[in-house]
Amino acid sequence: MAKKEVKTDLWVYELLKEVNIDLDPQGSSIKEIDEALKTASKGGTGKVGFPEYVGVVKDFILVIENKASVDKHIKLKDKVISDNVKDIKDYAVNGALFYGKHLVENTTYNKVIAFGISGDEKKHKISPLFIDETKFYRELPEVESLISFNKDNIDEYYVREVLQEETDKEKELSEILKDASDLHEDLRNYGNLKDIHKPIIVSGILLALRETEFKNFSIEDLTGDEINTDGDKIYHAIESNLRRSKVSPEVKRDKILSQFGMFKSEQVLNEINDTLNKTPLKHYTEFLNKKIYKSIKYSKSSEDYIGRFYGEFMSYSGGDGQTLGIVLTPKHITDLFCELVDIKTEDIVLDPCAGTAGFLIAAMHHMLIQTDNENVKKSIRQKQLHGIEQRADMFTIATTNMILRGDGKSNLINENFLKQEPSKLQLSTEATVGMMNPPYSQGSKQNPDLYEISFTEHLLDSLVEDGRAIVIIPQSSMTGKTKEEQSIKENILKKHTLEGVITLNKDTFYGVGTMPCIAVFTTGTPHPKDKISKFIDYKEDGFKVSPHIGLIETEQAKDRKQHLLDVWFDRIEAETKFCVNTTIEAEDEWLHSFYYFNDEIPTNEDFEKVVGNYLSFEFSMIMNERDYLFGVEDDKENNKK
């Protein structure tokens, strides 16, 4: 047993080390805590106590008590954590609560988070408890890692899980959505604009506002003049900014400008509205300058603001754009893509179905934060981000988006990806990383090229050898439901290697009804027969649907993602209910649900519960004269004979 406990101690040490939490083992280097532990014996004798780990993160004491077996995780008495001395000694959570209460009573700290941890890296339970200065404690949801408790995350965890209040991030999201909703109403009421045109107006005005920094555009100049209209002034500011951003060649710039032609042609936008006492264009410009432009200008996050607006506008027209075959990728997925392929500053990224450029913005953000070298940053912005978008309006929005986020050259092209020769794309981009969310539900037997798996194959063929490709596609694409899709799967394995597939939360594309998964490949190397691929069930990702907002992050999200990344990069093992490692065949369904079987050994508590249920059932049947179910009648008949 002692060896097992040492193994657990070492695993917990690695958990702490991984997320940069520095706690002391078996005591404390902090005098006040060390003094308190001198009377913290779990036997209640007033002698010294030795929690496995203890220390301070910001103004929180963290204390950990662990046990080798999950059977020794917690002992309840009348549904409450038992404070019996034997239970405090024998069970992880009971011991952790004891130490937490002792420390809050005997130190000046008012906030203690105590952890009962049991098991090992493969099978374990981690239960946090919050204890305040009154020794009142609150049981918090189980976690998979300690990422939420380092100095970067612990305040957010406290606000969300202990105080049960909205965090700054949630407030920010709800404010963005409210702004988008308000603007949508104004665009409809004062501009009579179709939903598809609204993001063009938004992105055009944001580009024009960039010219204010060069004193080439001023909101004050939008006077409603009938000759030199407000639309003309905004259009010329957009044109100047495209030149200033070095968008080239000229034909590309002209294509983008043609989308912004509505600024000049829409009369209702350029007439003074009696309600507003100004033109609708001036009203929208003032709104965007105040609410959005400054957020984008000073933001260094991977947030795709225009993508958020686009998604919100489309939600009013019957479902987040899916009627157009567009399913915008949520921000937490674009960030996850970058982490799963371990994106580096030297990578060259290609998104051939760029949409609003959400993947490119996330990739740029993740690459830029890895370097302080200005030349490297310049190269990332100018040479290492490539996108293709077929729809002219989306292409315009994506280009605007990239310009607003500091992409100096905007290597986006307005073309049909499937008509691009992969070998030429390899040479022209030299892309080492491919990211894609292709159009959904467009393929058929008549048009097999439009299957999502067909887009995937085309992307794989377009990257350099040993590149990494990551796609988010419907789970049905991994099953190969038609002969054509099955054939494509076989082709893929002849040329490329499937690293793994991650089944996602069914609400990832909330409101669309698609069950998505993420597939990750290494390009240019045929899939070896003995290659072990990973199949992960990540349906419980810590995101949930909130009424009137959509998909929101809960406190569990960071923890779940950390666990996913730990398993993906082989830092820890996982139970098969989360991850199956296996060889594959082309005809398999490349999903966790296909390969998973329950190999979990029941605990003693599970066994006792099942036996108890069976005995209760048998007793109930016999009392209701159904003892024949258990052969009792046969025995009676035999006795009579």
Side-chain angles (χ1 to χ4, degrees):
M1 180 59 76
K3 283 186 178 178
K4 285 186 178 178
E5 289 190 354
V6 170
K7 193 175 174 183
T8 303
D9 289 346
L10 292 173
W11 165 62
V12 173
Y13 171 76
E14 290 299 325
L15 279 180
L16 292 164
K17 183 180 171 187
E18 181 183 20
V19 297
N20 298 318
I21 297 177
D22 186 18
L23 303 186
D24 295 319
Q26 304 280 313
S28 178
S29 56
I30 299 170
K31 186 178 179 183
E32 184 182 6
I33 295 176
D34 195 50
E35 286 294 323
L37 288 177
K38 287 180 178 175
T39 56
S41 163
K42 288 190 287 187
T45 60
K47 295 182 179 178
V48 65
F50 299 100
E52 261 71 33
Y53 296 96
V54 65
V56 170
V57 175
K58 289 194 165 176
D59 55 343
F60 296 82
I61 289 181
L62 304 189
V63 59
I64 295 174
E65 182 70 355
N66 54 249
K67 297 293 177 188
S69 169
V70 292
D71 288 342
K72 295 294 183 183
H73 188 67
I74 186 170
K75 183 73 172 181
L76 300 178
K77 183 179 179 182
D78 298 328
K79 299 182 180 179
V80 176
I81 298 171
S82 169
D83 59 359
N84 178 283
V85 171
K86 186 173 187 310
D87 296 334
I88 288 171
K89 289 182 176 178
D90 291 348
Y91 291 86
V93 174
N94 304 61
L97 178 59
F98 171 83
Y99 281 127
K101 285 183 173 179
H102 185 86
L103 288 170
V104 85
E105 185 179 15
N106 292 283
T107 67
T108 57
Y109 289 88
N110 296 324
K111 295 184 285 190
V112 174
I113 299 179
F115 298 87
I117 301 179
S118 61
D120 53 31
E121 66 177 69
K122 186 172 182 181
K123 185 174 183 180
H124 53 258
K125 292 183 176 180
I126 304 175
S127 297
L129 304 158
F130 177 77
I131 304 148
D132 66 21
E133 68 273 24
T134 67
K135 295 206 287 186
F136 171 80
Y137 73 90
R138 178 179 296 167
E139 293 180 67
L140 303 167
E142 282 189 21
V143 294
E144 282 288 340
S145 75
L146 299 175
I147 184 81
S148 298
F149 307 95
N150 65 20
K151 63 182 175 57
D152 295 328
N153 298 321
I154 196 165
D155 288 332
E156 184 185 341
Y157 179 90
Y158 175 70
V159 170
R160 188 178 288 179
E161 287 295 325
V162 178
L163 302 182
Q164 303 275 305
E165 293 177 357
E166 283 187 347
T167 64
D168 290 343
K169 284 185 180 177
E170 285 167 341
K171 288 173 187 169
E172 183 183 329
L173 172 59
S174 61
E175 284 168 7
I176 290 173
L177 295 178
K178 184 179 183 307
D179 290 342
S181 175
D182 291 346
L183 184 58
H184 170 266
E185 284 295 306
D186 288 353
L187 288 164
R188 183 181 63 184
N189 293 336
Y190 306 125
N192 296 327
L193 288 165
K194 294 178 182 177
D195 288 324
I196 198 70
H197 291 147
K198 291 171 187 168
I200 297 287
I201 292 292
V202 171
S203 56
I205 290 175
L206 290 173
L207 273 186
L209 284 169
R210 278 167 55 94
E211 285 299 296
T212 58
E213 296 167 37
F214 304 97
K215 302 191 184 306
N216 190 34
F217 175 71
S218 168
I219 298 174
E220 301 302 317
D221 291 339
L222 302 179
T223 57
D225 187 273
E226 293 179 359
I227 305 301
N228 189 13
T229 66
D230 290 355
D232 288 334
K233 293 168 186 169
I234 292 173
Y235 181 87
H236 289 307
I238 294 170
E239 187 177 23
S240 298
N241 201 254
L242 290 176
R243 290 183 185 280
R244 203 182 299 279
S245 302
K246 299 178 181 173
V247 174
S248 62
E250 194 168 330
V251 64
K252 176 180 173 181
R253 195 166 59 241
D254 290 345
K255 189 174 282 188
I256 296 170
L257 276 171
S258 71
Q259 292 290 315
F260 291 125
M262 72 174 71
F263 279 95
K264 297 194 292 185
S265 62
E266 292 292 323
Q267 190 174 350
V268 69
L269 296 176
N270 288 287
E271 293 176 340
I272 291 180
N273 181 286
D274 291 339
T275 305
L276 298 171
N277 197 29
K278 63 186 85 166
T279 65
L281 281 179
K282 182 170 185 176
H283 174 67
Y284 304 147
T285 306
E286 289 173 336
F287 182 96
L288 286 167
N289 185 49
K290 182 179 178 184
K291 301 280 188 177
I292 302 300
Y293 177 68
K294 290 173 182 170
S295 297
I296 296 176
K297 184 181 171 186
Y298 298 111
S299 173
K300 292 182 179 177
S301 80
S302 57
E303 183 70 63
D304 172 12
Y305 288 95
I306 293 182
R308 287 270 191 195
F309 267 63
Y310 187 89
E312 188 65 9
F313 291 163
M314 289 302 104
S315 71
Y316 293 106
S317 60
D320 207 21
Q322 80 269 32
T323 53
L324 303 168
I326 301 164
V327 185
L328 295 177
T329 315
K331 175 181 175 293
H332 72 279
I333 296 295
T334 59
D335 283 335
L336 182 60
F337 265 43
C338 298
E339 291 168 279
L340 285 170
V341 298
D342 193 22
I343 199 162
K344 302 294 185 189
T345 54
E346 60 270 23
D347 277 317
I348 298 173
V349 182
L350 169 66
D351 178 359
C353 301
T356 60
F359 281 133
L360 296 177
I361 288 170
M364 180 168 67
H365 170 73
H366 282 262
M367 292 161 80
L368 290 176
I369 60 174
Q370 294 178 43
T371 180
D372 294 323
N373 187 313
E374 290 303 321
N375 288 330
V376 174
K377 287 184 177 182
K378 186 177 179 183
S379 173
I380 290 169
R381 290 192 178 100
Q382 295 194 347
K383 300 176 182 174
Q384 295 173 230
L385 302 165
H386 297 263
I388 301 172
E389 175 52 46
Q390 183 175 5
R391 284 180 40 168
D393 57 338
M394 293 293 282
F395 166 70
T396 300
I397 293 166
T399 303
T400 304
N401 220 347
M402 293 302 290
I403 292 171
L404 289 167
R405 300 309 295 269
D407 170 16
K409 198 175 174 208
S410 292
N411 297 300
L412 287 161
I413 58 172
N414 181 204
E415 296 286 353
N416 181 343
F417 168 53
L418 294 179
K419 290 186 177 177
Q420 307 302 306
E421 184 60 42
S423 58
K424 288 184 180 176
L425 275 178
Q426 269 189 21
L427 288 174
S428 62
T429 67
E430 299 183 329
T432 57
V433 171
M435 298 181 172
M436 184 175 67
N437 175 8
Y440 290 177
S441 307
Q442 309 289 304
S444 64
K445 288 185 179 179
Q446 291 71 37
N447 294 297
D449 288 348
L450 299 181
Y451 283 127
E452 295 88 348
I453 194 72
S454 181
F455 274 88
T456 302
E457 184 186 25
H458 206 69
L459 172 63
L460 296 173
D461 292 344
S462 302
L463 302 182
V464 299
E465 191 175 326
D466 290 329
R468 292 102 75 204
I470 181 166
V471 297
I472 181 167
I473 50 181
Q475 292 175 29
S476 58
S477 301
M478 294 286 95
T479 62
K481 57 185 183 298
T482 66
K483 283 184 181 177
E484 291 77 11
E485 288 174 288
Q486 192 61 44
S487 172
I488 294 169
K489 287 174 64 183
E490 289 174 14
N491 272 340
I492 286 176
L493 293 190
K494 288 176 186 173
K495 296 177 286 182
H496 310 289
T497 301
L498 176 63
E499 297 296 339
V501 177
I502 300 166
T503 303
L504 295 176
N505 183 340
K506 64 180 175 56
D507 291 318
T508 299
F509 294 121
Y510 171 62
V512 177
T514 297
M515 307 281 277
C517 64
I518 291 173
V520 184
F521 299 86
T522 296
T523 58
T525 303
H527 190 98
K529 280 282 182 186
D530 58 351
K531 164 72 180 177
I532 301 296
S533 304
K534 284 188 168 64
F535 295 88
I536 293 178
D537 180 350
Y538 191 50
K539 294 196 287 288
E540 298 294 327
D541 64 355
F543 282 78
K544 67 176 184 181
V545 173
S546 175
H548 312 301
I549 296 179
L551 202 64
I552 62 166
E553 180 180 345
T554 69
E555 183 47 46
Q556 284 77 45
K558 282 192 184 71
D559 178 58
R560 301 278 162 80
K561 185 169 84 168
Q562 184 65 44
H563 184 58
L564 169 68
L565 295 173
D566 286 343
V567 173
W568 182 257
F569 290 110
D570 292 321
R571 293 194 283 260
I572 63 171
E573 287 185 58
E575 295 177 89
T576 55
K577 65 182 180 182
F578 182 74
C579 176
V580 176
N581 295 300
T582 181
T583 57
I584 63 166
E585 299 289 341
E587 59 269 25
D588 291 351
E589 295 181 6
W590 294 343
L591 292 170
H592 177 271
S593 56
F594 178 81
Y595 298 105
Y596 171 64
F597 67 96
N598 190 350
D599 62 351
E600 192 171 346
I601 300 171
T603 64
N604 290 336
E605 287 178 353
D606 292 335
F607 179 74
E608 289 169 6
K609 186 178 179 183
V610 170
V611 171
N613 288 341
Y614 176 80
L615 292 175
S616 298
F617 172 74
E618 183 177 1
F619 180 74
S620 173
M621 291 297 103
I622 292 172
M623 293 301 291
N624 285 284
E625 299 182 347
R626 293 181 178 175
D627 41 4
Y628 60 86
L629 291 171
F630 308 98
V632 177
E633 285 293 328
D634 293 341
D635 291 343
K636 287 178 181 175
E637 290 299 320
N638 291 334
N639 289 335
K640 285 178 184 176
K641 291 174 184 176

